[in-house]
Amino acid sequence: MVALAYPITVVGVGPGSEEYLLPVAREAVLAAEVLVGGRNALALFDSLGKEQRLIGRDLDGILEYIDDARQAKRLAVLLSGDPGFYSLLPRLRQRFGAGGISVVPGISSLQLACARLGIKWDDLSITSVHGRGLDGLADIAGAERAAVLTEPKYPPAAVCRYLLEQGSWFRQAWVLTDLGLPGEAIAYGSLEVIAGQQGVPFERGNSILILLGDEPEPGQLPVGKTPSGTVGNTIEGAVSASEDLGAYLGVVTPGLPDKLFVQGTAAMSQEEARALTLCKARLKRGMVVYEIGAGTGSWTVEAARLVAPGTVWAVEKNPAAAALVRANLLKFGIPNVRLVEGDAPDACRGWPPADCLLIGGSGGRLREILGLAGGRLRPGGRVVITAVTPDTFSGAWQVLQEGPWEDQDTVMMSLARVASRGNAQIWSGENPVFILSARLSGGICEIEGSPDGA
Ligand SMILES: C[S@@+](CC[C@H](N)C(=O)[O-])C[C@H]1O[C@@H](n2cnc3c(N)ncnc32)[C@H](O)[C@@H]1O
């Protein structure tokens, strides 16, 4: 009697991080005895201690192994993203038949790329240069909008160079690399600019390239229109900004006018205080920034503009405030922010190492926040804390005098504006703001109270 082989479960594991792994995929993995997959996919499940088999270059060899092993064991073949999208699925189906496999879907890298940019993908012309070389680009000839999956041999810069040689009509390109992974990077430029760039993300194979014509950047406001009406309508108490964003799109200095931001009841620092706070952070392009207590999102928007293609990881515990942050990200067309709704520091678990920590609100948990979030700061990383009450100031002052901080700097900002009183103009004082900053000495720190020892 011939023993019946187990069906093979083909599992889409998403872009490669826990947060984008579907619960149904996790269940399928837990039910399997042997996991077969690429290095990153297998690494996701190392802690389960299951038997693993790496998919290397020898595909025929691995298909032989699967055929053999499935006679006695339950196998899960782990594929990145969704199995139906440029993956090994056709080879598995050809070899084992439709009845020999069952497929669990996953979130594909293209879905995540388009979500990051806030654009639709139903009209994208899609291709991949995997195993087909640059000839694969013939598939997108004549398309208005396209997406290309790149590989180490043909990274985004090489694809753009080739397209330019072919006289491509695409004008703008977004490069999205290592999405959902700790090194995630997003870059934007003309094809000429991307073609001439070196290093990550331009020469990184694990990237998606989104190619567009002359239309405005994804999320960018067509000059002359603001969506604040639409955004404001969805948020209770939000005020629609009246000022047109168009005039500020190319502005690089921080301290954008307060009136540009969609505002509600959540606190928002005034533009002058925001500008000085961001200057004290000494931000650079490409940095990873944590923002604790995002409030209305005005720091979030400005920090994201300054560090792009770096990323701002923002946390906000008040749902109404988080909605304002989202509204402002949408209004300013900011793609490089990861907003987490929750309580810091717990909500910051799993975030990648950071270069800077901005603390606008700590809910009395400053020491813990510096423990967990600060515990992920890279050597030389800066922390900037603002305080408007004496209690917050003295707590922050105390904490920064202890532990691994150096180069402490504290200023009190006192601001007065000209205001009209009757026929006269007078100086009208604002509440003072304390801005405390410091630099982390040494390496990634072990601060007392760091719950995960990071
Ligand atoms: C063989 S294809 C697999 C696609 C996968 N089935 C999916 O649905 O995303 C591998 C390519 O997908 C893209 N890719 C996969 N994971 C990615 C990620 N985390 N960030 C950016 N691109 C990714 C890259 O273009 C990579 O070279």
Side-chain angles (χ1 to χ4, degrees):
M1 199 174 93
V2 182
L4 276 181
Y6 287 108
I8 303 155
T9 317
V10 182
V11 185
V13 298
S17 59
E18 282 279 342
E19 55 182 332
Y20 289 106
L21 182 70
L22 297 181
V24 65
R26 170 166 287 283
E27 271 169 36
V29 169
L30 286 173
E33 291 161 277
V34 185
L35 307 181
V36 182
R39 211 173 294 283
N40 289 345
L42 290 176
L44 262 178
F45 304 102
D46 274 347
S47 63
L48 298 180
K50 298 211 180 233
E51 188 179 333
Q52 295 192 347
R53 184 77 178 215
L54 182 70
I55 301 182
R57 286 179 186 279
D58 179 13
L59 277 188
D60 290 329
I62 203 78
L63 292 174
E64 277 310 313
Y65 164 80
I66 293 173
D67 206 358
D68 218 28
R70 72 181 178 136
Q71 310 297 330
K73 292 179 178 168
R74 289 188 180 80
L75 261 64
V77 178
L78 314 182
L79 299 179
S80 79
D82 182 75
F85 188 65
Y86 294 105
S87 82
L88 212 54
L89 181 61
R91 290 287 296 273
L92 293 166
R93 195 183 150 109
Q94 187 186 34
R95 170 85 184 230
F96 305 111
I101 56 174
S102 73
V103 178
V104 177
I107 293 175
S108 101
S109 50
L110 181 68
Q111 282 175 284
L112 187 51
C114 292
R116 285 279 189 274
L117 300 183
I119 61 170
K120 66 200 197 100
W121 50 280
D122 52 11
D123 63 348
L124 283 178
S125 179
I126 302 165
T127 192
S128 163
V129 292
H130 273 265
R132 318 163 64 194
L134 297 168
D135 292 344
L137 297 174
D139 291 357
I140 56 168
E144 287 188 14
R145 308 167 83 235
V148 182
L149 301 195
T150 65
E151 62 140 305
K153 213 165 150 194
Y154 304 106
V159 171
C160 287
R161 276 195 292 276
Y162 179 84
L163 288 171
L164 286 168
E165 279 162 25
Q166 302 294 309
S168 161
W169 88 287
F170 294 118
R171 294 283 168 269
Q172 315 175 70
W174 287 85
V175 180
L176 301 106
T177 300
D178 289 340
L179 290 168
L181 301 171
E184 174 170 320
I186 300 176
Y188 167 79
S190 64
L191 266 67
E192 287 81 358
V193 165
I194 305 281
Q197 301 289 323
Q198 290 180 330
V200 178
F202 310 97
E203 296 183 318
R204 185 66 191 266
N206 199 32
S207 302
I208 294 222
L209 188 59
I210 304 279
L211 299 160
L212 305 168
D214 277 329
E215 65 194 271
E217 289 175 37
Q220 177 183 312
L221 298 174
V223 176
K225 270 194 212 163
T226 70
S228 46
T230 338
V231 171
N233 288 342
T234 63
I235 299 167
E236 217 178 314
V239 177
S240 297
S242 55
E243 183 116 350
D244 195 325
L245 265 194
Y248 293 92
L249 284 175
V251 170
V252 293
T253 44
L256 289 173
D258 291 346
K259 60 191 170 194
L260 289 185
F261 293 91
V262 182
Q263 295 176 45
T265 46
M268 187 173 100
S269 65
Q270 300 195 1
E271 61 196 63
E272 294 81 6
R274 191 180 337 117
L276 187 57
T277 305
L278 293 170
C279 289
K280 294 286 181 188
R282 318 272 189 248
L283 299 176
K284 294 183 193 163
R285 294 216 164 274
M287 278 186 166
V288 172
V289 175
Y290 291 177
E291 187 195 356
I292 313 296
T296 300
S298 66
W299 288 10
T300 328
V301 164
E302 295 228 45
R305 280 165 55 107
L306 293 167
V307 302
T311 308
V312 175
W313 290 72
V315 61
E316 173 53 56
K317 65 177 177 186
N318 173 350
L324 284 171
V325 178
R326 274 188 219 101
N328 279 309
L329 295 177
L330 184 65
K331 174 170 184 186
F332 285 81
I334 305 288
N336 53 327
V337 170
R338 308 285 294 274
L339 175 67
V340 177
E341 223 177 288
D343 221 342
D346 316 279
C348 312
R349 283 175 201 280
W351 287 11
D355 304 289
C356 181
L357 174 58
L358 303 175
I359 304 181
S362 54
R365 300 179 72 187
L366 186 61
R367 197 171 287 276
E368 282 173 77
I369 289 169
L370 282 173
L372 179 67
R376 301 233 176 75
L377 265 189
R378 294 200 175 104
R382 292 188 73 79
V383 60
V384 182
I385 306 170
T386 58
V388 290
T389 68
D391 282 352
T392 318
F393 167 73
S394 62
W397 170 265
Q398 191 66 44
V399 177
L400 291 186
Q401 304 308 311
E402 304 162 1
W405 305 106
E406 60 186 18
D407 196 20
Q408 288 90 344
D409 174 78
T410 302
V411 294
M412 188 201 77
M413 187 172 173
S414 180
L415 189 71
R417 297 178 194 287
V418 173
S420 298
R421 283 286 152 79
N423 293 334
Q425 303 238 292
I426 59 156
W427 290 107
S428 168
E430 304 280 359
N431 276 337
V433 182
F434 293 84
I435 305 173
L436 304 92
S437 57
R439 193 177 57 209
L440 179 67
S441 55
I444 296 255
C445 66
E446 293 280 350
I447 299 174
E448 197 191 334
S450 168
D452 65 358

